[in-house]
């Protein structure tokens, strides 16, 4: 079992930026396909960005052009650079494996408001 620890969230005004980090503590492999998800009350958790073992990256249309996912395999970490944030980006953000889901971490809250 891997412990997923998200960090970097906070409060930001529309148009602002944040960088989220996810550490996969105890992970044997640093190259497994992983993604960033977000959840708001009343909606389904959605996958917003993924980075696969061999480098393929995909984004949900709602964040394409604004968010960038990256990884540091040696450190067992993935990141999400979020620019031009909008109020609708407000959510709790989580990371997890794409093909071998681990227990969800506590997530990190991102709040975009004036």
């Amino acid at each position: 079992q891997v412990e997923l620890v998200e960090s970097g969230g906070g409060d930001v005004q529309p148009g602002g930026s944040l960088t989220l980090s996810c550490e996969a503590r105890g992970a044997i492999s640093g190259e497994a396909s992983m993604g960033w998800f977000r959840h708001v009350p009343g909606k389904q958790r959605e996958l917003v960005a993924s980075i696969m073992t061999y480098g393929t990256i995909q984004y949900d249309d709602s964040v394409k052009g604004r968010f960038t996912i990256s990884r540091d395999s040696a450190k067992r970490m993935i990141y999400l650079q979020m620019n031009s944030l909008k109020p609708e980006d407000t959510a709790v953000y989580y990371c997890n494996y794409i093909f071998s889901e681990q227990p969800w971490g506590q997530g990190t809250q991102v709040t975009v408001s004036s």
Side-chain angles (χ1 to χ4, degrees):
Q1 182 172 300
V2 174
E3 182 183 8
L4 298 170
V5 183
E6 300 93 346
S7 62
D11 300 339
V12 66
Q13 294 188 99
S17 297
L18 286 171
T19 301
L20 308 184
S21 299
C22 166
E23 182 180 5
R25 296 180 180 176
I28 296 173
S29 173
E31 291 76 45
S33 300
M34 298 189 71
W36 283 98
F37 303 77
R38 65 186 179 190
H39 178 253
V40 299
K43 293 186 176 182
Q44 298 293 311
R45 180 163 47 212
E46 63 178 347
L47 176 65
V48 300
S50 62
I51 182 164
M52 313 308 279
T53 296
Y54 296 105
T56 300
I57 292 172
Q58 293 186 331
Y59 299 98
D60 184 80
D61 287 343
S62 66
V63 307
K64 193 173 297 182
R66 299 188 297 118
F67 290 11
T68 302
I69 188 171
S70 61
R71 77 189 311 158
D72 186 331
S73 296
K75 294 182 178 179
R76 309 293 196 262
M77 297 191 70
I78 64 169
Y79 307 92
L80 188 67
Q81 175 65 51
M82 306 185 295
N83 298 321
S84 302
L85 283 161
K86 304 175 180 180
E88 50 263 46
D89 295 318
T90 296
V92 179
Y93 284 72
Y94 302 86
C95 62
N96 215 320
Y97 295 89
I98 300 299
F99 300 116
S100 184
E101 183 179 290
Q102 296 293 308
W104 297 92
Q106 66 180 2
T108 186
Q109 182 176 313
V110 172
T111 302
V112 185
S113 67
S114 300

